[in-house]
Amino acid sequence: MQQYFGERPPSPRSVLLAEVAQATQRLADAGVPSPRNDAEELAAFVHSVKRGELHRVPDADFDARYWEAVARREAREPLQHITGLAYFRYLELQVGPGVFVPRPETESVVGWAIDAVRAMDVVEPLIVDLCTGSGAIALAMAQEVPRSRVHAVELSEEALVWTRRNAEGSRVSVHKGDALSALPELGGQVDLVISNPPYIPLTEWEYVAPEARDHDPQLALFSGEDGLDTIRGIERTAHRLLRPGGVVVVEHADTQGGQVPWIFNEECGWADAADHPDLNNRPRFATARKALP
Ligand SMILES: C[S@@+](CC[C@H](N)C(=O)[O-])C[C@H]1O[C@@H](n2cnc3c(N)ncnc32)[C@H](O)[C@@H]1O
Protein backbone atom coordinates (compact mmCIF):
# COMPACT_ATOMS: atom_id res chain seq x y z
CA MET A 1 0.00 0.00 0.00
CA GLN A 2 1.25 3.45 -0.89
CA GLN A 3 2.59 5.46 2.06
CA TYR A 4 1.61 9.12 2.04
CA PHE A 5 4.01 10.13 4.79
CA GLY A 6 7.58 9.31 5.65
CA GLU A 7 8.93 8.87 9.18
CA ARG A 8 7.24 11.12 11.72
CA PRO A 9 6.19 10.89 15.38
CA PRO A 10 2.93 9.01 16.09
CA SER A 11 -0.09 11.31 16.31
CA PRO A 12 -1.29 11.80 19.88
CA ARG A 13 -4.40 9.79 20.84
CA SER A 14 -7.45 11.99 21.24
CA VAL A 15 -8.19 12.57 24.92
CA LEU A 16 -11.90 12.35 24.26
CA LEU A 17 -11.58 9.05 22.39
CA ALA A 18 -9.65 7.55 25.30
CA GLU A 19 -12.20 8.80 27.84
CA VAL A 20 -15.13 7.50 25.78
CA ALA A 21 -13.45 4.08 25.54
CA GLN A 22 -12.95 4.01 29.30
CA ALA A 23 -16.53 5.14 29.93
CA THR A 24 -17.83 2.47 27.53
CA GLN A 25 -16.07 -0.19 29.60
CA ARG A 26 -17.48 1.20 32.86
CA LEU A 27 -21.02 1.26 31.47
CA ALA A 28 -20.65 -2.26 30.07
CA ASP A 29 -19.45 -3.49 33.48
CA ALA A 30 -22.54 -1.85 35.05
CA GLY A 31 -24.81 -3.82 32.69
CA VAL A 32 -25.92 -0.85 30.54
CA PRO A 33 -27.37 -2.43 27.37
CA SER A 34 -25.79 -0.04 24.80
CA PRO A 35 -22.59 1.17 26.49
CA ARG A 36 -20.77 2.64 23.47
CA ASN A 37 -23.84 4.51 22.27
CA ASP A 38 -24.48 5.96 25.71
CA ALA A 39 -20.83 6.87 26.35
CA GLU A 40 -20.80 8.82 23.08
CA GLU A 41 -24.21 10.43 23.66
CA LEU A 42 -23.06 11.64 27.08
CA ALA A 43 -19.83 13.02 25.64
CA ALA A 44 -21.81 14.86 22.97
CA PHE A 45 -24.24 16.20 25.57
CA VAL A 46 -21.52 17.43 27.95
CA HIS A 47 -19.59 19.10 25.11
CA SER A 48 -22.75 20.56 23.49
CA VAL A 49 -22.14 18.98 20.09
CA LYS A 50 -23.86 16.30 18.04
CA ARG A 51 -22.45 12.79 18.29
CA GLY A 52 -21.05 13.00 14.76
CA GLU A 53 -19.15 16.16 15.72
CA LEU A 54 -17.23 14.69 18.66
CA HIS A 55 -14.02 14.58 16.62
CA ARG A 56 -14.12 18.39 16.55
CA VAL A 57 -13.80 18.75 20.33
CA PRO A 58 -10.21 19.94 21.02
CA ASP A 59 -8.30 17.94 23.64
CA ALA A 60 -7.88 21.04 25.74
CA ASP A 61 -11.67 21.39 25.94
CA PHE A 62 -12.24 18.01 27.57
CA ASP A 63 -14.95 18.62 30.16
CA ALA A 64 -14.53 16.83 33.48
CA ARG A 65 -18.33 16.94 33.94
CA TYR A 66 -18.27 13.94 31.61
CA TRP A 67 -17.39 11.66 34.51
CA GLU A 68 -20.31 12.95 36.58
CA ALA A 69 -22.66 12.08 33.72
CA VAL A 70 -21.03 8.66 33.26
CA ALA A 71 -21.38 7.92 36.98
CA ARG A 72 -25.11 8.68 36.81
CA ARG A 73 -25.56 6.37 33.83
CA GLU A 74 -23.41 3.74 35.57
CA ALA A 75 -25.96 3.88 38.43
CA ARG A 76 -28.57 3.05 35.72
CA GLU A 77 -30.21 6.46 35.55
CA PRO A 78 -31.80 6.65 32.07
CA LEU A 79 -29.67 8.37 29.45
CA GLN A 80 -32.66 10.59 28.63
CA HIS A 81 -32.95 11.83 32.22
CA ILE A 82 -29.31 12.89 32.16
CA THR A 83 -29.55 14.69 28.81
CA GLY A 84 -33.16 15.81 29.40
CA LEU A 85 -34.10 14.77 25.88
CA ALA A 86 -35.79 11.83 24.15
CA TYR A 87 -36.05 11.32 20.41
CA PHE A 88 -39.27 9.89 19.01
CA ARG A 89 -39.86 9.65 15.25
CA TYR A 90 -39.18 13.25 14.06
CA LEU A 91 -39.57 14.78 17.51
CA GLU A 92 -37.18 15.92 20.21
CA LEU A 93 -39.06 15.74 23.51
CA GLN A 94 -38.21 17.07 26.94
CA VAL A 95 -38.30 14.38 29.62
CA GLY A 96 -37.21 13.88 33.21
CA PRO A 97 -38.40 12.57 36.58
CA GLY A 98 -42.18 12.16 36.68
CA VAL A 99 -42.71 11.20 33.06
CA PHE A 100 -42.27 7.95 31.12
CA VAL A 101 -39.41 8.01 28.61
CA PRO A 102 -40.86 7.15 25.18
CA ARG A 103 -39.48 3.92 23.71
CA PRO A 104 -38.46 3.08 20.14
CA GLU A 105 -40.92 0.16 19.90
CA THR A 106 -43.80 2.65 20.19
CA GLU A 107 -42.61 4.31 16.98
CA SER A 108 -43.90 1.40 14.89
CA VAL A 109 -47.27 1.53 16.70
CA VAL A 110 -47.56 5.18 15.66
CA GLY A 111 -46.41 4.32 12.13
CA TRP A 112 -49.28 1.85 11.77
CA ALA A 113 -51.77 4.41 13.13
CA ILE A 114 -50.59 7.12 10.73
CA ASP A 115 -51.08 4.77 7.77
CA ALA A 116 -54.53 3.81 9.08
CA VAL A 117 -55.69 7.43 9.38
CA ARG A 118 -54.31 8.36 5.96
CA ALA A 119 -56.18 5.40 4.45
CA MET A 120 -59.45 6.73 5.92
CA ASP A 121 -59.39 9.70 3.60
CA VAL A 122 -61.00 11.94 6.23
CA VAL A 123 -60.36 15.68 5.72
CA GLU A 124 -59.74 16.61 9.37
CA PRO A 125 -59.20 13.37 11.25
CA LEU A 126 -60.09 13.39 14.95
CA ILE A 127 -57.52 11.48 16.98
CA VAL A 128 -57.32 10.69 20.71
CA ASP A 129 -54.15 9.55 22.51
CA LEU A 130 -55.00 8.00 25.88
CA CYS A 131 -52.22 7.84 28.53
CA THR A 132 -50.09 10.35 26.67
CA GLY A 133 -47.16 10.82 29.11
CA SER A 134 -44.63 13.12 27.40
CA GLY A 135 -47.10 13.56 24.54
CA ALA A 136 -44.90 11.53 22.19
CA ILE A 137 -47.70 9.72 20.35
CA ALA A 138 -50.09 12.68 20.16
CA LEU A 139 -47.39 15.05 18.92
CA ALA A 140 -46.13 12.59 16.30
CA MET A 141 -49.69 12.06 15.04
CA ALA A 142 -50.27 15.83 14.87
CA GLN A 143 -46.98 16.35 13.05
CA GLU A 144 -47.37 13.53 10.54
CA VAL A 145 -51.12 13.58 9.83
CA PRO A 146 -51.94 16.87 8.08
CA ARG A 147 -54.98 18.75 9.40
CA SER A 148 -55.53 16.25 12.22
CA ARG A 149 -57.17 17.38 15.45
CA VAL A 150 -55.43 15.56 18.27
CA HIS A 151 -56.50 15.25 21.92
CA ALA A 152 -54.10 13.86 24.53
CA VAL A 153 -55.25 12.53 27.92
CA GLU A 154 -53.04 11.99 30.97
CA LEU A 155 -53.89 11.28 34.62
CA SER A 156 -50.63 12.17 36.38
CA GLU A 157 -50.06 15.84 37.26
CA GLU A 158 -46.26 15.25 37.34
CA ALA A 159 -46.34 13.82 33.81
CA LEU A 160 -48.61 16.64 32.61
CA VAL A 161 -45.91 19.20 33.39
CA TRP A 162 -43.84 17.55 30.64
CA THR A 163 -46.82 16.97 28.30
CA ARG A 164 -47.74 20.65 28.39
CA ARG A 165 -44.15 21.75 27.90
CA ASN A 166 -43.75 19.48 24.85
CA ALA A 167 -47.15 20.37 23.40
CA GLU A 168 -46.58 24.12 23.58
CA GLY A 169 -47.17 25.65 20.16
CA SER A 170 -48.47 22.36 18.71
CA ARG A 171 -51.95 21.41 17.52
CA VAL A 172 -52.40 18.94 20.40
CA SER A 173 -55.06 19.67 23.05
CA VAL A 174 -53.91 18.34 26.41
CA HIS A 175 -56.47 17.10 28.97
CA LYS A 176 -55.95 16.05 32.56
CA GLY A 177 -58.13 13.03 33.19
CA ASP A 178 -58.62 9.32 33.53
CA ALA A 179 -58.43 7.39 30.27
CA LEU A 180 -61.37 5.33 31.44
CA SER A 181 -63.80 8.26 31.58
CA ALA A 182 -62.10 10.75 29.25
CA LEU A 183 -63.60 13.20 26.78
CA PRO A 184 -67.34 12.45 27.01
CA GLU A 185 -67.95 15.41 24.67
CA LEU A 186 -66.27 13.53 21.78
CA GLY A 187 -68.40 10.38 22.09
CA GLY A 188 -69.07 8.65 18.75
CA GLN A 189 -67.00 11.15 16.71
CA VAL A 190 -63.38 10.00 16.88
CA ASP A 191 -61.63 8.45 13.88
CA LEU A 192 -58.73 6.83 15.74
CA VAL A 193 -57.97 6.08 19.39
CA ILE A 194 -54.37 5.21 20.16
CA SER A 195 -52.72 4.30 23.45
CA ASN A 196 -49.51 3.08 24.96
CA PRO A 197 -50.93 2.42 28.44
CA PRO A 198 -49.28 0.84 31.48
CA TYR A 199 -49.26 -2.91 30.82
CA ILE A 200 -46.56 -4.67 32.85
CA PRO A 201 -48.00 -7.42 35.08
CA LEU A 202 -47.27 -6.78 38.78
CA THR A 203 -45.83 -10.30 38.89
CA GLU A 204 -43.01 -9.18 36.52
CA TRP A 205 -41.75 -6.41 38.82
CA GLU A 206 -38.40 -8.05 39.58
CA TYR A 207 -37.59 -8.53 35.87
CA VAL A 208 -38.06 -4.89 34.89
CA ALA A 209 -34.80 -3.10 33.93
CA PRO A 210 -33.52 -0.70 36.64
CA GLU A 211 -33.86 2.33 34.32
CA ALA A 212 -37.63 1.71 34.11
CA ARG A 213 -38.28 0.24 37.56
CA ASP A 214 -36.45 2.98 39.48
CA HIS A 215 -37.03 6.01 37.22
CA ASP A 216 -40.24 5.65 35.18
CA PRO A 217 -43.34 6.44 37.27
CA GLN A 218 -45.04 3.32 38.68
CA LEU A 219 -48.34 4.57 37.23
CA ALA A 220 -46.76 4.38 33.77
CA LEU A 221 -45.65 0.77 34.13
CA PHE A 222 -47.98 -1.51 36.06
CA SER A 223 -51.65 -2.29 35.64
CA GLY A 224 -52.95 -5.10 37.83
CA GLU A 225 -51.85 -8.71 38.28
CA ASP A 226 -51.91 -9.57 34.57
CA GLY A 227 -51.02 -6.04 33.35
CA LEU A 228 -54.26 -5.74 31.40
CA ASP A 229 -56.51 -3.68 33.71
CA THR A 230 -55.97 -0.39 31.85
CA ILE A 231 -56.25 -2.02 28.42
CA ARG A 232 -59.61 -3.53 29.45
CA GLY A 233 -60.77 -0.04 30.45
CA ILE A 234 -59.43 1.48 27.23
CA GLU A 235 -61.46 -1.03 25.24
CA ARG A 236 -64.64 0.50 26.72
CA THR A 237 -63.45 4.10 26.32
CA ALA A 238 -62.39 3.52 22.71
CA HIS A 239 -65.76 1.97 21.87
CA ARG A 240 -67.52 4.97 23.39
CA LEU A 241 -65.34 7.56 21.61
CA LEU A 242 -65.05 6.05 18.12
CA ARG A 243 -67.48 6.58 15.28
CA PRO A 244 -68.63 3.34 13.60
CA GLY A 245 -65.71 2.19 11.40
CA GLY A 246 -63.19 4.08 13.58
CA VAL A 247 -60.01 2.30 14.63
CA VAL A 248 -58.31 1.57 17.97
CA VAL A 249 -54.56 0.87 18.31
CA VAL A 250 -53.17 -0.31 21.66
CA GLU A 251 -49.59 -1.21 22.56
CA HIS A 252 -49.00 -4.18 24.86
CA ALA A 253 -46.17 -6.30 26.27
CA ASP A 254 -44.54 -8.83 23.96
CA THR A 255 -46.06 -11.60 26.10
CA GLN A 256 -49.66 -10.34 25.65
CA GLY A 257 -50.11 -10.78 21.88
CA GLY A 258 -52.32 -13.83 22.48
CA GLN A 259 -54.61 -11.99 24.91
CA VAL A 260 -55.14 -8.37 23.88
CA PRO A 261 -56.89 -8.94 20.50
CA TRP A 262 -59.50 -11.03 22.37
CA ILE A 263 -60.40 -8.02 24.50
CA PHE A 264 -61.58 -6.33 21.27
CA ASN A 265 -64.01 -9.10 20.34
CA GLU A 266 -67.15 -9.11 18.22
CA GLU A 267 -69.49 -9.46 21.20
CA CYS A 268 -68.17 -6.12 22.48
CA GLY A 269 -68.86 -4.45 19.12
CA TRP A 270 -65.50 -4.81 17.36
CA ALA A 271 -64.42 -6.15 13.96
CA ASP A 272 -61.07 -7.08 12.38
CA ALA A 273 -59.19 -7.48 15.68
CA ALA A 274 -55.56 -8.30 14.92
CA ASP A 275 -52.16 -8.31 16.55
CA HIS A 276 -48.96 -6.85 15.05
CA PRO A 277 -45.22 -7.24 15.68
CA ASP A 278 -42.68 -4.46 16.25
CA LEU A 279 -39.44 -4.06 14.27
CA ASN A 280 -37.84 -6.83 16.33
CA ASN A 281 -40.70 -9.10 15.27
CA ARG A 282 -42.08 -9.32 18.82
CA PRO A 283 -45.86 -9.07 19.39
CA ARG A 284 -46.35 -5.39 20.19
CA PHE A 285 -49.80 -3.91 19.48
CA ALA A 286 -53.41 -4.82 18.83
CA THR A 287 -55.81 -3.08 16.49
CA ALA A 288 -59.56 -3.33 15.86
CA ARG A 289 -62.32 -1.48 14.05
CA LYS A 290 -65.57 -0.42 15.71
CA ALA A 291 -68.25 -2.53 14.05
CA LEU A 292 -70.80 -0.80 11.81
CA PRO A 293 -74.35 -0.92 13.19
C1 LIG B 1 -46.40 3.54 29.36
S1 LIG B 1 -46.66 5.25 29.67
C2 LIG B 1 -46.79 5.81 27.99
C3 LIG B 1 -46.60 7.26 27.78
C4 LIG B 1 -46.63 7.68 26.29
N1 LIG B 1 -47.91 7.34 25.69
C5 LIG B 1 -45.51 7.01 25.53
O1 LIG B 1 -45.77 6.12 24.71
O2 LIG B 1 -44.35 7.38 25.74
C6 LIG B 1 -48.32 5.25 30.28
C7 LIG B 1 -48.87 6.62 30.71
O3 LIG B 1 -50.23 6.44 31.12
C8 LIG B 1 -50.52 7.24 32.24
N2 LIG B 1 -51.69 6.65 32.87
C9 LIG B 1 -51.76 5.54 33.63
N3 LIG B 1 -53.03 5.25 33.97
C10 LIG B 1 -53.79 6.22 33.38
C11 LIG B 1 -55.19 6.47 33.33
N4 LIG B 1 -56.07 5.69 33.95
N5 LIG B 1 -55.62 7.54 32.63
C12 LIG B 1 -54.75 8.36 31.99
N6 LIG B 1 -53.41 8.17 32.00
C13 LIG B 1 -52.94 7.11 32.69
C14 LIG B 1 -49.23 7.22 33.03
O4 LIG B 1 -49.16 8.31 33.91
C15 LIG B 1 -48.20 7.27 31.89
O5 LIG B 1 -47.90 8.60 31.56
Side-chain angles (χ1 to χ4, degrees):
M1 188 181 145
Q2 187 185 348
Q3 292 288 322
Y4 289 102
F5 304 108
E7 278 300 305
R8 61 176 201 174
S11 53
R13 193 162 179 229
S14 145
V15 170
L16 195 57
L17 202 61
E19 307 291 325
V20 167
Q22 198 186 329
T24 301
Q25 191 55 54
R26 273 177 58 173
L27 297 183
D29 292 345
V32 170
S34 46
R36 176 86 200 181
N37 171 79
D38 290 17
E40 290 185 3
E41 285 290 352
L42 290 174
F45 165 67
V46 165
H47 291 92
S48 307
V49 294
K50 297 208 180 308
R51 223 167 127 192
E53 296 167 347
L54 278 170
H55 62 284
R56 298 213 179 116
V57 178
D59 281 354
D61 286 357
F62 176 74
D63 190 328
R65 285 181 312 147
Y66 183 51
W67 293 115
E68 289 166 31
V70 170
R72 288 172 67 184
R73 188 69 190 100
E74 202 174 20
R76 305 298 294 271
E77 193 173 335
L79 175 70
Q80 297 86 347
H81 279 203
I82 304 169
T83 62
L85 290 176
Y87 298 97
F88 186 83
R89 293 184 69 90
Y90 303 107
L91 297 166
E92 190 179 274
L93 298 159
Q94 297 187 49
V95 293
V99 74
F100 179 85
V101 174
R103 305 294 206 273
E105 53 267 30
T106 305
E107 293 181 323
S108 49
V109 184
V110 173
W112 190 97
I114 288 167
D115 290 345
V117 179
R118 286 184 181 155
M120 285 174 188
D121 206 17
V122 175
V123 179
E124 291 185 346
L126 185 55
I127 297 167
V128 171
D129 172 22
L130 298 172
C131 303
T132 196
S134 64
I137 295 177
L139 288 161
M141 298 295 300
Q143 186 181 52
E144 297 183 57
V145 180
R147 292 189 298 282
S148 55
R149 295 163 295 155
V150 184
H151 295 265
V153 178
E154 170 60 48
L155 185 59
S156 152
E157 197 54 73
E158 293 85 54
L160 277 162
V161 172
W162 299 96
T163 325
R164 294 195 179 106
R165 200 174 288 172
N166 287 318
E168 220 174 279
S170 78
R171 277 188 289 114
V172 173
S173 309
V174 177
H175 306 261
K176 175 171 166 54
D178 189 332
L180 310 192
S181 54
L183 304 173
E185 65 280 14
L186 298 184
Q189 301 172 49
V190 176
D191 295 296
L192 182 127
V193 172
I194 182 167
S195 183
N196 174 20
Y199 52 63
I200 301 175
L202 278 171
T203 49
E204 303 272 313
W205 190 86
E206 61 188 300
Y207 306 111
V208 177
E211 285 86 349
R213 195 190 56 213
D214 302 337
H215 296 278
D216 280 322
Q218 301 287 300
L219 184 67
L221 300 179
F222 301 103
S223 191
E225 278 297 294
D226 65 356
L228 297 174
D229 282 2
T230 307
I231 293 182
R232 282 187 280 263
I234 282 175
E235 182 273 317
R236 281 296 84 200
T237 304
H239 199 271
R240 169 172 59 77
L241 290 176
L242 288 171
R243 62 164 170 82
V247 169
V248 62
V249 187
V250 181
E251 181 170 328
H252 57 66
D254 58 5
T255 51
Q256 296 164 337
Q259 297 157 278
V260 177
W262 292 107
I263 295 175
F264 296 87
N265 60 62
E266 287 178 17
E267 281 176 12
C268 294
W270 297 98
D272 307 331
D275 204 63
H276 307 262
D278 59 22
L279 292 175
N280 292 321
N281 218 21
R282 320 253 338 162
R284 182 55 61 196
F285 62 102
T287 61
R289 187 174 295 281
K290 181 170 173 177
L292 300 173

